[in-house]
Amino acid sequence: MHRGSLSPTAILGGLKITFAQFMGSFGGRNTVTVQYPLRKKRMQERFRGLHRLERHTEGPYKGLEKCIGCALCAAACPAEVITVVAAENTDDERYSPGERYAKVYDMDMLRCIFCGMCTEACPTEAIVMKHDYELADDSRRLPNKFIYHKEDLLDRPFHW
Amino acid sequence: MAKHEIEWVNIEVDGVPLRVRKDRYLLWSLREAYYDVPHFCAHKWLDPPFAGCRMCMVQIETGGKMWPKLQTSCSTLPSEGMKVYLKTEPVVQARKEELEFHLLNHPLECPVCDKGGECMLQDQSMDHGVSAGRYIEEKRIRPDAILNDYMRMNYKRCFHCKRCVHYGENIDGANLMKFVKRGAETRIESYPEPGEAPRFSGNLIDICPVGAITARSYRFMGRPWEQELRHSVGSFDSVGANIWLCSRLGEMARVIPHDNDQVEFGLIDDVTRFAYECVNDPRLLSRATLRSQGGSEQVSQGRGESEAGRRLAAVLGEHGPDSIGVLAGSGLNSEEYLALAKWCGSVLGSGYYHFGESLFAGAAPSAAALSSFVHEHPGIDEIVNASTVLSLGCDLFEEAPALGLRVDIAARRKKLKLLSARSHRSDADRFATLFVNYGYHNLLRLVRGLSNALSGAGECPEEFKPLAEQLRSIGDDCAVVYGQEVWQNAAPAELIEALSALRSAIAAANGGKPVWLSPVFPGVNSAGALLLGNLSAFGVSAGSELKPAAGGLKTLLEAAASGKLRALVIFDYDILSTYPDRALVRKALDSVGLVVYCGPFENPTSEAAHIQLPLGSFAQREGTVVSMEWRVQKREAAVLEIAAADVAEVLNGLTTAMQGAAVADTMQGLYLELCERLPQYPREAFVDFPYEGRRMKPQLAEAAPAQRSELPAEFKGSADFPLVLVPKRFLYNDRAEIRCSPVFDQVAKPFHAFMNPQDMKVYNLAAGDQVELQDDKGSSTLPIQSASWVRPGSVVINDYCIAAPVNVLAGFDPVRVRPRKAQPAKAGEAALASSGGAE
Ligand code: SF4
Ligand code: SF4
Ligand code: SF4
Ligand code: FES
């Protein structure tokens, strides 16, 4: 410990780490960056990325939407991202198991702070957050490409 | 007065002293003091309490001794020195267990339930319940059902609080809901009355604490917290019921009462509650229409306004001042009337304007009548708390439903003595101590007869004497309520004077006890129209901008019919269908060269106009209105996507087209100006107008009523025309808001002629027959229904029915008709013709 004075040894010691990291980035085992966008990093399990609306994958309701249009996600959302308009299922036109489904499900992704409250509020685990994080797009004018509609969110291809 | 004195007692709540009313059940006093006492079955409307849910249990100690069992606070009256415990172990435990029991069969479907977010069971489970259920048996399930035209029933959500049953038994009397079976098999059943239009059924939605009874039109419209609420006033009668206009995503979602205990007490009628649908309907006009011989053309509002302005300017240029007449219905706001009055004075230079319906048979209001309106009227509170209510010539259930129901409840509970006199019976008399049935158009005879009997001078027909006897003992005070039969009388001014005299006579016969006289006006802002349409009568100097009105509605129409007026501008007033003298209106509309109609919906009058401009509906224009008790309240505009013009904006557009420039008035500016000109108009912050409103008293010299005692001859059917025609105002009529709200499409509306079964037999008619009613002026054909509430010798028809307008027959003068069964072939033709027309 050299208190109050500059020691050449200490400086060299520090630079050694810098140099080692620098060299390591050319493929050594210490690499922390990836060749984005050629390669993509796998996110942590609990990473909160872009949302997706799920369907039932098994059981009697297989193929139906999980969302029941309850708008609890919209209520939980602190950033007022979500707009839900509910409507009634009929026997001919059935979207979800019960009587109610979301006719409109819009998310304004520019507002989203990715807090995950919506997924926590959802009673049916219909809205989930996947690991995608590439949200850039090229139009805020109409049609605003940052407003994701139900069609965009349902069956959305996702990475993990 | 003794009866209004409040007795207080001192109690202790969890060791904290509290002063409470002696005559109120503990629950309400505690809740008023912000103690959270859970409850389900108790409701402020329901008295006596049912005490069935056992949620409101408290521990009570008196005289140092704890009561052995928990008590239901909703049915326990306080006594001096009583100690109440809300947080002790047994109370908390009892609530938990009770709640678990209530939830046994309740489905866990809050996310899809329309009540979610404003549900008592939800709230109280959060506050007092346990988080997990122990019930593993199967829950009771039963498919949903349609309750009536407005509501659906979700049986499985019902947890048997019995509020709805009590509402039927103790409040509206329709008994829509009943319990069947007992014990574990108890279940709620609904018994809708087929063929009857419900009147107060919508209140069940509010009274059901859970989502068992929900509105069909509000189904899945959105969560309560997602809605934008705006305060408004029930716009279809003059009670001034406080409501919230709830909208979501730019559309109306629902209307709920705003619970003003001084006015409607949370009880609103079904038309007020459900007629909001017209605001979402495509029939709400957004474009102007130009009509000419060649056909009609839809143009933008701006184009329509400039066209109208241009043609009005041409009329004005050619014929000078006093060549254009202005008419407005009673649905406008006071500010809009002021804007109109100013426009008439400063732009048109015309004294030919009239606001509101014709209250005085087309004449200008008499000084005595105005004085009676201003000086003798009670508040709604005073009416429902009076010892005696005398309802004369008005069916409160149809004309002022919220007030009618409150009076009905008080009469049912024997808190007031209801005396009623009308030309026909009605549900509103079901708890009347005495009902007097007189022939239509004989109201003046009745009123004078009563005064004579009370003062002991002059004659009184025998059949009215029992009523006079009743009026000798009115208790502490008496409110005389009158309505439609006065407005439709041939001489309303004389009648109102006679009523004033009757008021003095009742007071004199009871040693000077307070007696009030309350007119039930036909429209939401009839009182405002009266005020603003007759500013000079209320002592407002005309100045350069305001011109005094040139006379009543009749003067105006006659001037138009005689060719003196060259143009008519009409604001939201279907005068062709509702003014008793249809021929005169027809002639007036045909004689003037230009009719501009400005209103939210189409109607027969607007179809006769050359230019039709759109206007915001009742939910889209903000401003203040004056109710029948001179309560000034504000109607805010609902938050909607479609923009709508108010009258000031339309006038602005017209004036700009006429003169090249206009003063753009805002509602707020107009309100301030109104307060300026009329100092009695309550001055508040316009943006933040107090919800409950402020009562006002316009300044007016008191006029003494003329005392006259001679009785007019009785009016009866004649040999040629044996039946007296009674045009009756019904809650369900052809007003645009009802016509254009799909929710009312299936409701059984009273567009029949109603006749006493006795008469039906005489004329050999069967229910459902088409009957032709003839008088010396014309005839009208409509289906007939037998109704025992109709007085023999008369026939009742809806006074606002577009398909069979009563004013084809009626005038202000009494009308007699001759019924004739229409030829079946003719009826078939008519049906064909009308269906062809609809296509
Ligand atoms: S992640 Fe958060 S901000 Fe984004 S939609 Fe969900 S609740 Fe709203
Ligand atoms: S995503 Fe979930 S919380 Fe949102 S509306 Fe659908 S079911 Fe309700
Ligand atoms: S329907 Fe509603 S108000 Fe009626 S008993 Fe059931 S829960 Fe109570
Ligand atoms: S509220 Fe008292 S028993 Fe139901």
Side-chain angles (χ1 to χ4, degrees):
Chain A
M1 205 34 105
H2 302 271
R3 206 175 290 150
S5 66
L6 281 176
S7 147
T9 4
I11 292 173
L12 282 179
L15 280 176
K16 202 175 117 197
I17 294 173
T18 313
F19 186 69
Q21 292 282 340
F22 177 65
M23 297 313 281
S25 70
F26 292 107
R29 65 183 169 86
N30 287 339
T31 313
V32 290
T33 56
V34 293
Q35 289 296 331
Y36 182 84
L38 299 179
R39 294 182 56 205
K40 284 176 190 164
K41 201 168 146 59
R42 187 173 185 120
M43 304 321 269
Q44 295 292 335
E45 199 47 48
R46 291 174 59 188
F47 178 81
R48 300 192 296 264
L50 189 55
H51 305 70
R52 182 174 197 265
L53 279 173
E54 298 280 292
R55 286 182 189 276
H56 291 275
T57 51
E58 55 198 15
Y61 303 136
K62 193 167 174 217
L64 290 179
E65 295 163 16
K66 279 188 176 175
C67 175
I68 49 171
C70 67
L72 292 182
C73 48
C77 176
E80 295 195 11
V81 172
I82 308 173
T83 307
V84 182
V85 176
E88 187 158 5
N89 282 312
T90 57
D91 283 336
D92 306 336
E93 241 184 290
R94 179 158 289 285
Y95 297 87
S96 67
E99 46 190 14
R100 181 166 170 152
Y101 76 99
K103 189 168 72 176
V104 174
Y105 193 101
D106 286 356
M107 299 188 76
D108 185 348
M109 272 304 156
L110 285 179
R111 302 189 61 119
C112 183
I113 56 171
F114 296 94
C115 60
M117 301 282 235
C118 46
T119 61
E120 270 181 50
C122 182
T124 59
E125 294 177 358
I127 187 91
V128 293
M129 294 172 101
K130 297 292 185 186
H131 290 173
D132 313 69
Y133 46 78
E134 290 159 319
L135 308 174
D137 221 319
D138 60 6
S139 165
R140 286 184 70 169
R141 302 248 176 82
L142 290 176
N144 186 339
K145 292 192 184 159
F146 291 96
I147 294 188
Y148 288 44
H149 303 294
K150 187 177 155 189
E151 309 77 73
D152 309 331
L153 293 162
L154 259 180
D155 307 324
R156 180 179 67 78
F158 62 100
H159 287 94
W160 291 286
Chain B
M1 275 162 296
K3 86 168 191 182
H4 296 300
E5 249 166 43
I6 296 173
E7 275 187 76
W8 300 91
V9 292
N10 295 300
I11 63 169
E12 228 173 65
V13 184
D14 285 335
V16 182
L18 183 72
R19 195 176 74 130
V20 297
R21 274 178 68 157
K22 194 173 175 188
D23 59 341
R24 274 181 96 188
Y25 292 107
L26 264 179
L27 175 70
W28 303 116
S29 302
L30 290 173
R31 289 190 68 83
E32 207 176 81
Y34 296 101
Y35 285 101
D36 174 28
V37 191
H39 65 285
F40 288 127
C41 68
H43 192 280
K44 68 173 180 180
W45 298 338
L46 304 179
D47 188 29
F50 166 52
C53 76
R54 321 307 283 180
M55 262 314 275
C56 61
M57 306 261 233
V58 294
Q59 236 177 343
I60 289 179
E61 182 186 332
T62 43
K65 254 179 70 186
M66 198 65 100
W67 291 20
K69 286 190 179 168
L70 298 179
Q71 297 298 316
T72 49
S73 62
C74 67
S75 59
T76 309
L77 286 168
S79 61
E80 187 66 37
M82 180 183 266
K83 290 186 179 151
V84 181
Y85 299 97
L86 303 177
K87 293 185 192 139
T88 49
E89 172 60 27
V91 175
V92 173
Q93 188 60 26
R95 280 179 196 161
K96 266 208 182 83
E97 282 163 8
E98 206 47 65
L99 208 47
E100 195 180 0
F101 175 69
H102 282 311
L103 283 168
L104 283 189
N105 277 302
H106 198 80
L108 284 176
E109 55 179 20
C110 303
V112 293
C113 174
D114 272 333
K115 199 83 170 190
E118 51 184 10
C119 169
M120 289 177 78
L121 190 58
Q122 217 179 23
D123 293 351
Q124 301 189 2
S125 303
M126 287 295 285
D127 293 347
H128 305 282
V130 284
S131 53
R134 293 179 288 165
Y135 188 69
I136 46 168
E137 288 77 7
E138 208 152 291
K139 297 203 176 201
R140 203 165 29 203
I141 354 182
R142 202 167 154 211
D144 295 4
I146 299 298
L147 195 52
N148 67 7
D149 292 309
Y150 309 128
M151 298 179 295
R152 48 185 294 139
M153 181 73 208
N154 194 314
Y155 290 110
K156 57 186 187 291
R157 291 185 194 146
C158 169
F159 73 128
H160 299 175
C161 70
K162 218 173 175 185
R163 269 187 182 185
C164 56
V165 179
H166 283 260
Y167 177 82
E169 282 169 3
N170 298 332
I171 307 292
D172 81 336
N175 288 328
L176 192 54
M177 313 295 294
K178 281 281 179 225
F179 274 157
V180 295
K181 304 240 176 147
R182 302 195 57 173
E185 283 180 52
T186 311
R187 61 162 207 267
I188 192 87
E189 268 302 340
S190 55
Y191 296 94
E193 197 83 38
E196 238 174 63
R199 225 180 253 133
F200 300 105
S201 65
N203 293 328
L204 285 171
I205 301 167
D206 295 332
I207 206 173
C208 178
V210 294
I213 303 177
T214 49
R216 287 167 72 181
S217 50
Y218 173 62
R219 185 154 167 85
F220 301 159
M221 279 297 278
R223 298 304 184 156
W225 61 81
E226 293 175 324
Q227 291 160 16
E228 305 259 13
L229 266 61
R230 290 292 180 272
H231 176 84
S232 187
V233 169
S235 294
F236 310 117
D237 53 59
S238 60
V239 180
N242 287 211
I243 54 172
W244 287 113
L245 302 174
C246 310
S247 60
R248 177 172 183 237
L249 300 175
E251 276 208 357
M252 283 295 294
R254 61 172 173 172
V255 162
I256 46 176
H258 187 165
D259 257 5
N260 185 341
D261 286 358
Q262 289 167 26
V263 184
E264 88 294 335
F265 203 56
L267 294 158
I268 60 175
D269 58 284
D270 292 347
V271 172
T272 307
R273 188 184 291 267
F274 295 111
Y276 69 84
E277 273 206 343
C278 61
V279 182
N280 300 337
D281 199 86
R283 279 169 284 184
L284 178 68
L285 299 173
S286 61
R287 288 168 71 73
T289 309
L290 307 179
R291 287 199 189 85
S292 57
Q293 251 83 35
S296 69
E297 186 194 352
Q298 296 265 320
V299 296
S300 73
Q301 171 150 19
R303 176 83 211 280
E305 277 170 11
S306 53
E307 180 69 18
R310 195 180 56 74
R311 289 175 64 178
L312 284 175
V315 171
L316 204 57
E318 199 177 326
H319 303 283
D322 276 336
S323 59
I324 300 176
V326 174
L327 287 172
S330 58
L332 269 52
N333 298 319
S334 303
E335 290 77 16
E336 294 176 318
Y337 289 131
L338 180 66
L340 273 179
K342 278 168 53 186
W343 189 64
C344 290
S346 55
V347 177
L348 304 182
S350 168
Y352 287 100
Y353 60 87
H354 182 90
F355 305 152
E357 295 91 350
S358 78
L359 294 185
F360 300 94
S366 70
L370 286 183
S371 154
S372 154
F373 291 168
V374 168
H375 294 288
E376 299 170 350
H377 80 284
I380 283 175
D381 240 10
E382 282 152 325
I383 301 178
V384 295
N385 289 321
S387 312
T388 306
V389 169
L390 170 61
S391 143
L392 284 180
C394 89
D395 185 343
L396 282 178
F397 273 0
E398 307 281 0
E399 289 170 61
L403 172 64
L405 189 54
R406 291 195 67 185
V407 169
D408 182 72
I409 296 170
R412 180 198 291 269
R413 294 187 185 153
K414 306 241 176 338
K415 296 226 169 92
L416 62 73
K417 177 165 85 175
L418 178 62
L419 306 171
S420 175
R422 200 181 309 100
S423 60
H424 54 274
R425 283 190 155 276
S426 129
D427 275 357
D429 321 313
R430 59 190 173 189
F431 298 109
T433 313
L434 182 68
F435 172 74
V436 173
N437 191 347
Y438 54 84
Y440 192 63
H441 277 298
N442 291 318
L443 185 54
L444 184 59
R445 199 174 142 81
L446 168 85
V447 174
R448 289 239 174 100
L450 289 179
S451 307
N452 290 349
L454 286 171
S455 60
E459 56 169 329
C460 170
E462 209 46 55
E463 67 262 38
F464 304 150
K465 281 195 174 140
L467 185 54
E469 247 357 273
Q470 287 285 345
L471 288 173
R472 285 189 189 283
S473 52
I474 55 167
D476 290 327
D477 41 15
C478 171
V480 182
V481 186
Y482 62 91
Q484 179 231 1
E485 282 185 30
V486 174
W487 313 133
Q488 281 173 355
N489 199 281
E494 203 179 334
L495 194 43
I496 292 169
E497 261 188 84
L499 282 162
S500 288
L502 173 63
R503 167 182 171 264
S504 324
I506 298 175
N510 286 278
K513 296 234 173 76
V515 180
W516 300 288
L517 202 51
S518 173
V520 176
F521 292 120
V524 54
N525 201 15
S526 294
L530 203 62
L531 198 61
L532 275 300
N534 301 287
L535 275 174
S536 49
F538 288 96
V540 178
S541 68
S544 61
E545 274 192 318
L546 298 176
K547 251 182 131 175
L553 189 48
K554 196 165 170 197
T555 323
L556 194 154
L557 289 171
E558 273 165 0
S562 70
K564 179 159 178 359
L565 295 183
R566 297 309 174 111
L568 272 181
V569 188
I570 306 175
F571 284 87
D572 195 11
Y573 184 13
D574 188 4
I575 185 166
L576 188 61
S577 312
T578 55
Y579 188 76
D581 192 349
R582 189 184 181 93
L584 179 60
V585 181
R586 232 320 135 221
K587 186 140 181 270
L589 291 176
D590 290 345
S591 324
V592 295
L594 172 64
V595 179
V596 179
Y597 187 90
C598 183
F601 299 98
E602 285 204 320
N603 58 37
T605 312
S606 82
E607 275 152 27
H610 303 104
I611 300 180
Q612 180 184 322
L613 302 172
L615 183 73
S617 64
F618 69 95
Q620 292 164 294
R621 290 174 287 129
E622 70 169 356
T624 53
V625 292
V626 189
S627 77
M628 58 179 270
E629 47 167 349
W630 296 95
R631 185 184 289 273
V632 179
Q633 304 181 100
K634 188 171 159 204
R635 290 196 289 184
E636 292 171 354
V639 185
L640 299 176
E641 196 179 322
I642 29 171
D646 56 34
V647 169
E649 282 162 25
V650 172
L651 293 183
N652 188 19
L654 292 178
T655 317
T656 312
M658 289 169 81
Q659 304 178 332
V663 196
D665 280 324
T666 60
M667 279 300 132
Q668 184 163 6
L670 284 164
Y671 169 72
L672 290 176
E673 187 179 337
L674 178 54
C675 298
E676 205 67 42
R677 287 182 191 264
L678 199 69
Q680 297 86 27
Y681 209 77
R683 190 173 190 137
E684 301 283 344
F686 185 71
V687 194
D688 234 352
F689 204 85
Y691 288 156
E692 68 283 7
R694 294 274 180 269
R695 285 186 64 195
M696 72 178 288
K697 183 165 184 164
Q699 197 179 357
L700 197 72
E702 220 165 318
Q707 301 282 351
R708 292 170 59 184
S709 59
E710 71 274 14
L711 292 189
E714 191 175 356
F715 182 75
K716 278 194 200 141
S718 65
D720 267 358
F721 299 104
L723 297 183
V724 177
L725 182 75
V726 184
K728 175 175 162 70
R729 165 148 180 199
F730 285 96
L731 180 61
Y732 291 94
N733 55 20
D734 249 343
R735 61 163 60 248
E737 289 84 356
I738 294 182
R739 246 186 309 127
C740 299
S741 297
V743 64
F744 298 117
D745 283 355
Q746 301 304 319
V747 177
K749 283 173 238 112
F751 292 143
H752 295 94
F754 295 94
M755 229 190 243
N756 193 291
Q758 226 171 299
D759 287 339
M760 304 251 305
K761 218 175 278 161
V762 173
Y763 300 104
N764 199 14
L765 296 164
D769 278 355
Q770 293 282 331
V771 65
E772 189 182 1
L773 301 175
Q774 287 180 317
D775 70 352
D776 40 8
K777 273 187 263 157
S779 80
S780 174
T781 307
L782 64 179
I784 186 112
Q785 226 175 48
S786 106
S788 50
W789 47 265
V790 178
R791 182 184 163 94
S794 62
V795 49
V796 173
I797 21 184
N798 199 321
D799 72 342
Y800 189 178
C801 166
I802 290 175
V806 63
N807 57 4
V808 168
L809 307 168
F812 286 108
D813 294 330
V815 181
R816 302 182 179 102
V817 291
R818 177 171 51 207
R820 198 161 62 91
K821 194 161 171 172
Q823 297 308 312
K826 234 176 143 185
E829 256 174 51
L832 269 182
S834 69
S835 70
E839 271 168 27

